[in-house]
Amino acid sequence: MPKKKNRKIVVDFLIVTWVATVLGSYYFYNVGYYEEKISVFWGFLSRFII
Amino acid sequence: MTAVLFVFAFTIVVTGIGWTVTGWLDPKGHLSSGERLGVSFLSGCFSVYFGVFFIGAYRLDSVTMWGLAAACIVLSLPGLARMPWRPFQDACRATLTAVSGDKFYGLLWLLTLATALSGLLQGLAPPDDYDSLMYHLALPKYDLEIGRLAIPWDRSLAHVFFPAFGGNISRLALALSNDGAAQMIHGMLAVVAATGTALFVLGMGYGRRIALLAALMFLASRVVIWQMGTVEVDVPLAAFVIFAVIVYRAWRRHQTVGLGILFGLMIGGGILMKLHGLAIALSFAPLMIYDLARKRPSLTSWLAGPVTALGVWLPHIFRIYPITGNPVYPLFNSLFNPGQPNYFAGVKDMYGTGRGIFDVLTGLWNLSVLPMRYFDGMVLGAPYILAFFPLLMLDRERLRRWAPYLAIALLYYLQWFWMMSQQVRFLSAVLPLVMAASAVGAALGWKQVANNRALRAVFATLALTLSLNQAMFVGIYGLLRLPVAFGIISPLTYHNKTPTLTGANYETCRYITKNLKPGETYFSNTDTFMSYYCPQASVVRNYFPDEAKWWLYSKKAPILTFDEFLARVEDAKFRFFMVSIAYESRRNNTAKSIIVKRDPSVYRFGTYLRPVLDQLQPLVKDNFTAVYDGRDVLRLLKLQKGG
């Protein structure tokens, strides 16, 4: 029973690690994209707001 | 408003026609009511495709299209009369009851409906995506100006020989309503694809929450929300693909000839929507051969699908083969026409990390995590497919059930990887299947960590981050397009302020449209495209009529001397000259817009025109194009000859 439980904990941990790795890598490689898009979009909005 | 009514009527009418067809082909009701509705909509659209195909060859205008619409309305009546309206009402009521007792389910419905409605209404914004301006809408507009289906050879576009399932829907919409209606109908096809995604999940034995999550994940994908407001055809192809999968799943259980025919209609419709449907057809082949060997269906039933798909595709082949000598032109042209140009050879290796085994194994990672570096931009958005899709493995009991359908997606991916230009949007065809698996994976992941409070909190935070990131994409498209769709800002302001690749040439084209008198013509050598907003039939774009077919047979453009060019300009008496002055590039890691000034002499006749244009002020110009007075250009060209 403890063996099964340990296996489940490992699987749980692997799942969360996997999703976190994907997300972290994505932002690491695309931070420039988001900076650029946010500045363009802010420029678009500010033309109408200001 | 007329566009909205048109789309509503279109949906009712084609579904009514399709309901009769599905009634004939699936009399025992092997498809569920929801599945039958989706298949009915898609098969009903064939009436528009073939109606425009055959009638438009002789005459394409509002009179003939109203005639087609009237015929479609009559044809839809028996199906509409037989529709089980009461059970549909009961299903809606049952859903409302379920929503009131399940807050998460209610939230999913709210988000799904809001995303779908936002995407649909964005279709009312003026067209501004590159391919629609270049050909998806420009070619139908050309045909309507000419008054029949025709080929604008001077555009030098192999796209004129693509199957036109979506294009013919646009032709009907432009003839009877406007481009907003054309875009909204394509948006409706995305809603149908999302519905198919949910129905597929339900059919795999999962609950309604996961089914709805799959539909939402599909709709929120960046490529889907972008294409919903356009007449692009990748996502409409996905609608045919997911319903082909659903019908084939039913065929595997019952093996009737009727279901085989319906499957063929879905595959054929996919091919006619976009030639990538051929790769989908090939992806089904191993499963079909396996089923033939294992299930031993009657040969008639087994062949019904492929024969039907070929049957609906044949008229298109008969149209293009006499001209191109290639039934799948422009694909495999070096095979059918050795020595002649291979039109898309230049784009084949523009994207991707390579074509080796390691590249194919790391492909899903790269296109999800490094989309800007190696591929055609941020097509998917936040990487929720990569995060959740592998978690499907947690459902070991049902993996065998998934295998045939994931094999279809995998085979398509492999064809995409090794045979096509590796543009991620081309993978949209199997996006419903992949989203279905990803939604199930997300649910399984959640269930797996549910008992561990700390890990559950981390998982929820990660999932929420992915959701908010994707909601940002959905929201931004809404904020960009909905104000102009509702008339809060003008189309001119929209086109001037919205970041659109290389612009829509809206201002310059509108100027020409307004000032070109009947019978007058103009010349354009704009390098990107002949924008949809410009008059299509009264232009000479780069190539005069006698030389305009060169690109079909030769890799080198014909050359005209200055004197020959001048003689033709004198003869044509062009009212305007439209030229490119800049182009835009966003092929970099951050998608930063870089506008590059263009030397006019790099375009055809540019060396002849540049000295002349240098002396003139344009009548109108935008960031990328300028329009000059044709009489002034001719006068200075004559002076140049004299000098």
Side-chain angles (χ1 to χ4, degrees), chain B residues 242-315:
Chain B
I242 191 61
F243 276 98
V245 170
I246 286 169
V247 175
Y248 191 75
R249 185 171 61 185
W251 181 88
R252 295 186 87 207
R253 286 195 293 264
H254 307 286
Q255 295 152 32
T256 66
V257 175
L259 284 172
I261 293 173
L262 282 177
F263 168 62
L265 282 177
M266 296 301 103
I267 292 291
I271 294 170
L272 292 170
M273 185 60 81
K274 193 175 175 89
L275 280 173
H276 291 70
L278 281 170
I280 290 292
L282 277 177
S283 303
F284 271 94
L287 179 61
M288 290 182 69
I289 292 166
Y290 172 84
D291 286 340
L292 180 67
R294 286 291 298 266
K295 296 177 190 289
R296 302 197 173 278
S298 77
L299 208 58
T300 316
S301 162
W302 189 79
L303 283 173
V307 169
T308 305
L310 183 65
V312 295
W313 181 27
L314 270 179

Coordinates of all heavy atoms in Angstrom, one line a residue, chain B residues 242-315:
Chain B
I242 N -13.4 17.1 -37.8 CA -13.9 16.5 -36.6 C -15.2 15.8 -36.8 O -15.5 14.8 -36.2 CB -14.0 17.6 -35.4 CG1 -14.3 16.9 -34.1 CG2 -15.1 18.7 -35.7 CD1 -13.2 16.0 -33.6
F243 N -16.0 16.3 -37.7 CA -17.3 15.6 -38.0 C -17.0 14.4 -38.9 O -17.7 13.4 -38.8 CB -18.3 16.5 -38.6 CG -19.1 17.3 -37.6 CD1 -18.7 18.6 -37.2 CD2 -20.1 16.6 -36.8 CE1 -19.4 19.2 -36.2 CE2 -20.7 17.3 -35.8 CZ -20.4 18.6 -35.5
A244 N -15.9 14.4 -39.7 CA -15.5 13.2 -40.4 C -15.2 12.1 -39.4 O -15.5 10.9 -39.5 CB -14.3 13.5 -41.3
V245 N -14.4 12.5 -38.3 CA -14.0 11.6 -37.3 C -15.3 11.0 -36.6 O -15.4 9.8 -36.3 CB -13.1 12.3 -36.2 CG1 -12.9 11.4 -35.0 CG2 -11.8 12.6 -36.9
I246 N -16.2 11.9 -36.2 CA -17.5 11.5 -35.5 C -18.3 10.5 -36.4 O -18.7 9.5 -35.9 CB -18.3 12.8 -35.2 CG1 -17.6 13.5 -34.0 CG2 -19.7 12.4 -34.8 CD1 -18.2 14.9 -33.7
V247 N -18.4 10.9 -37.7 CA -19.2 10.0 -38.6 C -18.5 8.6 -38.7 O -19.1 7.6 -38.7 CB -19.5 10.7 -39.9 CG1 -20.2 9.7 -40.9 CG2 -20.3 11.9 -39.7
Y248 N -17.2 8.7 -38.9 CA -16.4 7.5 -39.1 C -16.5 6.6 -37.8 O -16.6 5.4 -37.9 CB -14.9 7.8 -39.4 CG -14.2 6.5 -39.9 CD1 -14.5 6.0 -41.1 CD2 -13.4 5.8 -39.0 CE1 -13.9 4.8 -41.5 CE2 -12.8 4.6 -39.4 CZ -13.1 4.1 -40.6 OH -12.5 2.9 -41.0
R249 N -16.5 7.3 -36.6 CA -16.7 6.5 -35.4 C -18.0 5.8 -35.4 O -18.1 4.6 -35.0 CB -16.6 7.5 -34.2 CG -16.6 6.8 -32.9 CD -16.3 7.8 -31.7 NE -17.3 8.9 -31.7 CZ -17.2 9.9 -30.8 NH1 -16.2 10.1 -30.1 NH2 -18.1 10.9 -30.8
A250 N -19.1 6.4 -35.9 CA -20.4 5.8 -36.0 C -20.3 4.7 -37.0 O -20.9 3.6 -36.8 CB -21.4 6.8 -36.3
W251 N -19.6 4.9 -38.1 CA -19.5 3.9 -39.2 C -18.8 2.6 -38.7 O -19.2 1.5 -39.0 CB -18.8 4.5 -40.4 CG -18.6 3.5 -41.5 CD1 -19.5 3.3 -42.5 CD2 -17.6 2.5 -41.7 NE1 -19.1 2.3 -43.4 CE2 -17.9 1.8 -42.9 CE3 -16.4 2.2 -41.0 CZ2 -17.1 0.8 -43.4 CZ3 -15.6 1.2 -41.5 CH2 -16.0 0.5 -42.7
R252 N -17.8 2.8 -37.8 CA -17.1 1.7 -37.3 C -18.0 0.7 -36.5 O -17.8 -0.5 -36.5 CB -15.9 2.1 -36.4 CG -14.9 2.9 -37.1 CD -13.7 3.2 -36.2 NE -12.8 2.1 -36.2 CZ -12.0 1.8 -35.1 NH1 -12.0 2.5 -34.0 NH2 -11.1 0.8 -35.2
R253 N -19.0 1.4 -35.9 CA -20.0 0.6 -35.1 C -21.0 -0.1 -35.9 O -21.5 -1.2 -35.7 CB -20.6 1.4 -34.0 CG -19.7 1.8 -32.8 CD -20.5 2.3 -31.7 NE -21.1 3.6 -32.0 CZ -20.6 4.8 -31.6 NH1 -19.4 4.8 -31.0 NH2 -21.2 5.9 -31.9
H254 N -21.5 0.6 -37.0 CA -22.7 0.2 -37.7 C -22.4 -0.2 -39.2 O -23.2 -0.9 -39.8 CB -23.8 1.2 -37.6 CG -24.1 1.7 -36.2 ND1 -24.8 0.8 -35.4 CD2 -23.7 2.8 -35.5 CE1 -24.9 1.4 -34.2 NE2 -24.2 2.6 -34.3
Q255 N -21.4 0.4 -39.8 CA -20.9 0.0 -41.1 C -22.0 0.1 -42.2 O -22.2 -0.8 -43.0 CB -20.3 -1.3 -41.1 CG -19.0 -1.4 -40.3 CD -18.7 -2.7 -39.7 OE1 -19.1 -3.7 -40.3 NE2 -18.1 -2.8 -38.6
T256 N -22.8 1.2 -42.1 CA -23.9 1.3 -43.1 C -23.3 2.1 -44.3 O -22.4 2.9 -44.2 CB -25.1 2.1 -42.6 OG1 -24.7 3.4 -42.3 CG2 -25.7 1.4 -41.3
V257 N -23.9 1.9 -45.5 CA -23.5 2.7 -46.7 C -23.8 4.2 -46.5 O -23.0 5.0 -46.9 CB -24.2 2.1 -47.9 CG1 -23.9 3.0 -49.2 CG2 -23.9 0.7 -48.2
G258 N -24.9 4.5 -45.9 CA -25.3 5.9 -45.6 C -24.2 6.6 -44.8 O -23.8 7.7 -45.1
L259 N -23.8 6.0 -43.7 CA -22.8 6.6 -42.9 C -21.5 6.8 -43.7 O -20.7 7.8 -43.5 CB -22.5 5.8 -41.6 CG -23.6 6.0 -40.5 CD1 -23.4 5.0 -39.4 CD2 -23.7 7.4 -40.0
G260 N -21.2 5.8 -44.5 CA -20.0 5.9 -45.4 C -20.1 7.1 -46.3 O -19.1 7.8 -46.5
I261 N -21.3 7.3 -46.9 CA -21.5 8.5 -47.8 C -21.3 9.8 -47.0 O -20.6 10.7 -47.4 CB -22.8 8.4 -48.5 CG1 -22.9 7.2 -49.4 CG2 -23.1 9.7 -49.2 CD1 -24.2 6.9 -50.0
L262 N -21.9 9.8 -45.8 CA -21.8 11.0 -45.0 C -20.3 11.3 -44.6 O -19.8 12.4 -44.6 CB -22.6 10.9 -43.7 CG -24.1 11.1 -43.8 CD1 -24.8 10.9 -42.5 CD2 -24.4 12.6 -44.3
F263 N -19.6 10.2 -44.3 CA -18.1 10.3 -44.0 C -17.4 10.9 -45.3 O -16.6 11.8 -45.2 CB -17.6 8.9 -43.7 CG -16.1 8.9 -43.6 CD1 -15.3 9.7 -42.7 CD2 -15.4 8.0 -44.5 CE1 -13.9 9.6 -42.7 CE2 -14.0 8.0 -44.4 CZ -13.3 8.8 -43.6
G264 N -17.8 10.4 -46.4 CA -17.2 10.9 -47.7 C -17.5 12.4 -47.9 O -16.6 13.1 -48.4
L265 N -18.7 12.8 -47.6 CA -19.1 14.2 -47.7 C -18.2 15.1 -46.8 O -17.8 16.1 -47.2 CB -20.6 14.4 -47.4 CG -21.6 14.0 -48.4 CD1 -23.0 14.2 -47.9 CD2 -21.4 14.8 -49.7
M266 N -17.9 14.6 -45.6 CA -17.1 15.4 -44.7 C -15.7 15.5 -45.2 O -15.0 16.5 -45.2 CB -17.1 14.8 -43.3 CG -18.5 14.7 -42.6 SD -19.2 16.4 -42.4 CE -20.4 16.4 -43.7
I267 N -15.2 14.3 -45.7 CA -13.8 14.3 -46.2 C -13.7 15.2 -47.5 O -12.8 16.0 -47.6 CB -13.3 12.9 -46.5 CG1 -13.1 12.1 -45.2 CG2 -12.0 12.9 -47.3 CD1 -12.0 12.6 -44.3
G268 N -14.7 15.0 -48.4 CA -14.7 15.8 -49.6 C -14.9 17.2 -49.3 O -14.2 18.1 -50.0
G269 N -15.7 17.6 -48.4 CA -15.9 19.0 -48.0 C -14.6 19.6 -47.5 O -14.2 20.7 -47.8
G270 N -13.9 18.8 -46.7 CA -12.6 19.2 -46.2 C -11.6 19.5 -47.3 O -10.9 20.5 -47.3
I271 N -11.6 18.6 -48.3 CA -10.6 18.8 -49.4 C -11.0 20.0 -50.2 O -10.1 20.8 -50.6 CB -10.6 17.5 -50.3 CG1 -10.1 16.3 -49.6 CG2 -9.9 17.8 -51.6 CD1 -10.3 15.0 -50.4
L272 N -12.3 20.2 -50.4 CA -12.8 21.4 -51.1 C -12.6 22.7 -50.3 O -12.5 23.8 -50.9 CB -14.2 21.2 -51.5 CG -14.5 20.1 -52.6 CD1 -16.0 19.9 -52.7 CD2 -13.9 20.5 -53.9
M273 N -12.5 22.6 -49.0 CA -12.3 23.8 -48.2 C -10.8 24.2 -48.3 O -10.5 25.4 -48.4 CB -12.7 23.5 -46.8 CG -12.6 24.7 -45.8 SD -13.7 26.1 -46.3 CE -15.3 25.6 -45.7
K274 N -9.9 23.2 -48.2 CA -8.5 23.4 -48.3 C -7.8 22.2 -48.7 O -8.2 21.1 -48.2 CB -8.0 23.9 -46.9 CG -6.6 24.5 -46.9 CD -6.3 25.0 -45.5 CE -4.8 25.5 -45.5 NZ -4.6 26.9 -45.8
L275 N -6.8 22.3 -49.6 CA -6.2 21.0 -50.1 C -5.6 20.2 -49.0 O -5.3 19.0 -49.3 CB -5.2 21.4 -51.2 CG -5.8 21.7 -52.6 CD1 -4.8 22.2 -53.6 CD2 -6.5 20.5 -53.2
H276 N -5.3 20.8 -47.9 CA -4.8 20.0 -46.8 C -5.7 18.9 -46.4 O -5.3 17.9 -45.7 CB -4.5 20.9 -45.6 CG -3.4 21.8 -45.8 ND1 -3.5 22.9 -46.7 CD2 -2.1 21.9 -45.3 CE1 -2.3 23.6 -46.7 NE2 -1.5 23.0 -45.9
G277 N -7.0 19.0 -46.8 CA -7.9 17.9 -46.5 C -7.5 16.6 -47.2 O -7.8 15.5 -46.7
L278 N -6.6 16.7 -48.2 CA -6.1 15.5 -48.8 C -5.2 14.7 -47.8 O -5.2 13.5 -47.8 CB -5.2 15.8 -50.0 CG -6.0 16.2 -51.3 CD1 -5.1 16.8 -52.4 CD2 -6.7 14.9 -51.9
A279 N -4.4 15.5 -47.1 CA -3.6 14.8 -46.0 C -4.4 14.2 -45.0 O -4.1 13.2 -44.4 CB -2.6 15.9 -45.4
I280 N -5.6 14.8 -44.7 CA -6.5 14.2 -43.7 C -7.1 12.9 -44.2 O -7.1 11.9 -43.5 CB -7.7 15.2 -43.4 CG1 -7.2 16.4 -42.6 CG2 -8.8 14.5 -42.7 CD1 -6.7 16.1 -41.2
A281 N -7.4 12.9 -45.5 CA -8.0 11.7 -46.2 C -6.9 10.6 -46.0 O -7.2 9.5 -45.7 CB -8.3 12.0 -47.6
L282 N -5.7 10.9 -46.3 CA -4.6 9.9 -46.2 C -4.4 9.4 -44.8 O -4.1 8.3 -44.5 CB -3.3 10.5 -46.7 CG -3.0 10.5 -48.2 CD1 -1.7 11.2 -48.6 CD2 -3.0 9.1 -48.8
S283 N -4.6 10.3 -43.8 CA -4.5 10.0 -42.4 C -5.5 9.0 -42.0 O -5.3 8.2 -41.0 CB -4.6 11.2 -41.5 OG -3.6 12.2 -41.9
F284 N -6.6 9.0 -42.6 CA -7.7 8.0 -42.3 C -7.4 6.6 -42.9 O -7.9 5.6 -42.4 CB -9.1 8.4 -42.8 CG -9.8 9.3 -41.9 CD1 -9.8 10.6 -42.0 CD2 -10.7 8.7 -40.9 CE1 -10.5 11.4 -41.1 CE2 -11.4 9.5 -40.1 CZ -11.3 10.9 -40.1
A285 N -6.5 6.6 -44.0 CA -6.4 5.4 -44.7 C -5.9 4.2 -43.9 O -6.5 3.1 -44.0 CB -5.4 5.6 -45.9
P286 N -4.9 4.3 -43.1 CA -4.4 3.1 -42.3 C -5.6 2.5 -41.4 O -5.8 1.3 -41.3 CB -3.3 3.6 -41.5 CG -2.8 4.8 -42.2 CD -4.0 5.4 -42.8
L287 N -6.3 3.4 -40.8 CA -7.4 3.0 -39.9 C -8.5 2.3 -40.7 O -9.0 1.3 -40.3 CB -8.0 4.2 -39.2 CG -9.2 3.9 -38.2 CD1 -8.8 3.0 -37.1 CD2 -9.7 5.2 -37.6
M288 N -8.8 2.8 -41.9 CA -9.8 2.2 -42.8 C -9.3 0.8 -43.2 O -10.1 -0.1 -43.3 CB -10.1 3.1 -44.0 CG -10.8 4.4 -43.6 SD -11.2 5.4 -45.0 CE -12.4 4.4 -45.9
I289 N -8.1 0.7 -43.6 CA -7.5 -0.6 -44.0 C -7.6 -1.6 -42.8 O -8.0 -2.7 -43.0 CB -6.1 -0.4 -44.6 CG1 -6.2 0.4 -45.9 CG2 -5.5 -1.8 -44.8 CD1 -4.9 0.9 -46.4
Y290 N -7.2 -1.1 -41.6 CA -7.3 -1.9 -40.4 C -8.7 -2.4 -40.2 O -9.0 -3.6 -40.0 CB -6.8 -1.1 -39.2 CG -7.0 -1.8 -37.9 CD1 -6.1 -2.7 -37.4 CD2 -8.1 -1.5 -37.1 CE1 -6.3 -3.3 -36.2 CE2 -8.3 -2.1 -35.9 CZ -7.4 -3.0 -35.4 OH -7.5 -3.6 -34.2
D291 N -9.7 -1.5 -40.3 CA -11.1 -1.8 -40.1 C -11.6 -2.8 -41.2 O -12.4 -3.7 -40.9 CB -12.0 -0.5 -40.1 CG -11.8 0.2 -38.8 OD1 -11.3 -0.3 -37.8 OD2 -12.1 1.5 -38.8
L292 N -11.1 -2.6 -42.4 CA -11.5 -3.6 -43.5 C -11.1 -5.0 -43.2 O -11.8 -5.9 -43.3 CB -10.9 -3.1 -44.8 CG -11.2 -3.9 -46.1 CD1 -12.7 -3.8 -46.4 CD2 -10.4 -3.5 -47.2
A293 N -9.9 -5.1 -42.6 CA -9.3 -6.4 -42.3 C -10.0 -7.0 -41.1 O -10.3 -8.2 -41.0 CB -7.8 -6.3 -42.1
R294 N -10.2 -6.1 -40.0 CA -10.7 -6.7 -38.8 C -12.2 -6.8 -38.7 O -12.8 -7.8 -38.2 CB -10.3 -5.7 -37.6 CG -8.8 -5.8 -37.2 CD -8.5 -7.2 -36.6 NE -9.2 -7.4 -35.3 CZ -8.8 -7.1 -34.1 NH1 -7.6 -6.6 -34.0 NH2 -9.5 -7.3 -33.0
K295 N -13.0 -5.8 -39.3 CA -14.4 -5.8 -39.1 C -15.1 -6.4 -40.3 O -16.3 -6.7 -40.3 CB -14.9 -4.4 -38.9 CG -14.4 -3.7 -37.6 CD -14.9 -2.3 -37.5 CE -14.2 -1.6 -36.4 NZ -14.7 -2.0 -35.0
R296 N -14.4 -6.6 -41.4 CA -14.9 -7.2 -42.6 C -16.3 -6.6 -43.0 O -17.3 -7.3 -43.1 CB -15.0 -8.7 -42.5 CG -13.7 -9.3 -42.2 CD -13.7 -10.8 -42.5 NE -12.4 -11.4 -42.3 CZ -11.4 -11.3 -43.2 NH1 -11.7 -10.8 -44.4 NH2 -10.2 -11.8 -43.0
P297 N -16.4 -5.3 -43.2 CA -17.6 -4.7 -43.7 C -17.9 -5.0 -45.2 O -16.9 -5.5 -45.8 CB -17.4 -3.2 -43.5 CG -15.9 -3.0 -43.7 CD -15.3 -4.3 -43.2
S298 N -19.1 -4.7 -45.7 CA -19.3 -4.9 -47.1 C -18.4 -3.9 -47.9 O -18.2 -2.8 -47.4 CB -20.8 -4.7 -47.5 OG -21.0 -3.3 -47.5
L299 N -17.9 -4.3 -49.0 CA -17.0 -3.5 -49.8 C -17.7 -2.2 -50.2 O -17.1 -1.1 -50.2 CB -16.5 -4.2 -51.0 CG -15.2 -3.8 -51.5 CD1 -14.1 -3.9 -50.5 CD2 -14.8 -4.6 -52.8
T300 N -19.0 -2.3 -50.5 CA -19.8 -1.1 -50.8 C -19.8 -0.1 -49.7 O -19.6 1.1 -49.9 CB -21.3 -1.5 -51.1 OG1 -21.3 -2.6 -51.9 CG2 -22.0 -0.4 -51.8
S301 N -20.0 -0.6 -48.5 CA -20.1 0.3 -47.4 C -18.7 0.9 -47.1 O -18.5 2.1 -46.8 CB -20.5 -0.5 -46.1 OG -20.2 0.2 -45.0
W302 N -17.7 0.1 -47.3 CA -16.3 0.6 -47.1 C -15.9 1.6 -48.1 O -15.2 2.6 -47.8 CB -15.3 -0.6 -47.1 CG -13.9 -0.3 -46.6 CD1 -13.5 -0.1 -45.3 CD2 -12.8 -0.1 -47.4 NE1 -12.2 0.2 -45.3 CE2 -11.7 0.2 -46.6 CE3 -12.6 -0.1 -48.8 CZ2 -10.4 0.5 -47.0 CZ3 -11.3 0.2 -49.3 CH2 -10.2 0.4 -48.4
L303 N -16.3 1.4 -49.4 CA -15.9 2.3 -50.4 C -16.7 3.5 -50.5 O -16.4 4.5 -51.2 CB -15.9 1.5 -51.8 CG -14.8 0.5 -52.1 CD1 -15.0 -0.3 -53.3 CD2 -13.4 1.3 -52.2
A304 N -17.9 3.5 -49.9 CA -18.8 4.6 -50.0 C -18.1 6.0 -49.7 O -18.4 7.0 -50.3 CB -20.0 4.4 -49.1
G305 N -17.3 6.0 -48.6 CA -16.7 7.2 -48.2 C -15.7 7.7 -49.2 O -15.9 8.8 -49.7
P306 N -14.7 6.9 -49.6 CA -13.7 7.4 -50.6 C -14.4 7.8 -51.9 O -14.0 8.8 -52.5 CB -12.8 6.2 -50.7 CG -12.9 5.4 -49.5 CD -14.3 5.6 -49.0
V307 N -15.3 7.0 -52.4 CA -16.0 7.3 -53.7 C -16.7 8.6 -53.6 O -16.7 9.4 -54.5 CB -16.9 6.1 -54.1 CG1 -17.7 6.5 -55.3 CG2 -16.0 4.9 -54.4
T308 N -17.5 8.8 -52.5 CA -18.2 10.1 -52.3 C -17.3 11.3 -52.2 O -17.5 12.3 -52.9 CB -19.1 10.0 -51.0 OG1 -19.9 8.9 -51.1 CG2 -19.9 11.3 -50.9
A309 N -16.2 11.1 -51.5 CA -15.2 12.2 -51.4 C -14.7 12.6 -52.8 O -14.6 13.7 -53.1 CB -14.1 11.8 -50.4
L310 N -14.3 11.5 -53.5 CA -13.8 11.8 -54.9 C -14.9 12.4 -55.7 O -14.6 13.3 -56.5 CB -13.3 10.4 -55.5 CG -12.7 10.5 -56.9 CD1 -11.4 11.3 -56.8 CD2 -12.4 9.2 -57.4
G311 N -16.1 11.9 -55.6 CA -17.2 12.4 -56.4 C -17.5 13.9 -56.2 O -17.7 14.6 -57.2
V312 N -17.4 14.4 -55.0 CA -17.7 15.8 -54.8 C -16.5 16.7 -55.2 O -16.6 17.9 -55.4 CB -18.1 16.1 -53.3 CG1 -19.5 15.5 -53.0 CG2 -17.1 15.7 -52.3
W313 N -15.3 16.0 -55.2 CA -14.1 16.8 -55.6 C -14.0 16.9 -57.1 O -13.4 17.8 -57.6 CB -12.9 16.1 -54.9 CG -11.6 16.6 -55.1 CD1 -11.3 17.9 -55.4 CD2 -10.3 15.9 -55.1 NE1 -9.9 18.1 -55.5 CE2 -9.3 16.9 -55.4 CE3 -10.0 14.6 -54.9 CZ2 -8.0 16.5 -55.4 CZ3 -8.6 14.3 -54.9 CH2 -7.6 15.2 -55.2
L314 N -14.5 15.9 -57.8 CA -14.3 15.8 -59.3 C -14.6 17.0 -60.1 O -13.9 17.4 -60.9 CB -15.1 14.6 -59.8 CG -14.3 13.2 -59.9 CD1 -15.2 12.1 -60.4 CD2 -13.0 13.3 -60.7
P315 N -15.8 17.7 -59.8 CA -16.1 18.9 -60.6 C -15.0 19.9 -60.6 O -14.6 20.5 -61.6 CB -17.4 19.4 -60.0 CG -18.0 18.2 -59.4 CD -16.9 17.4 -58.9

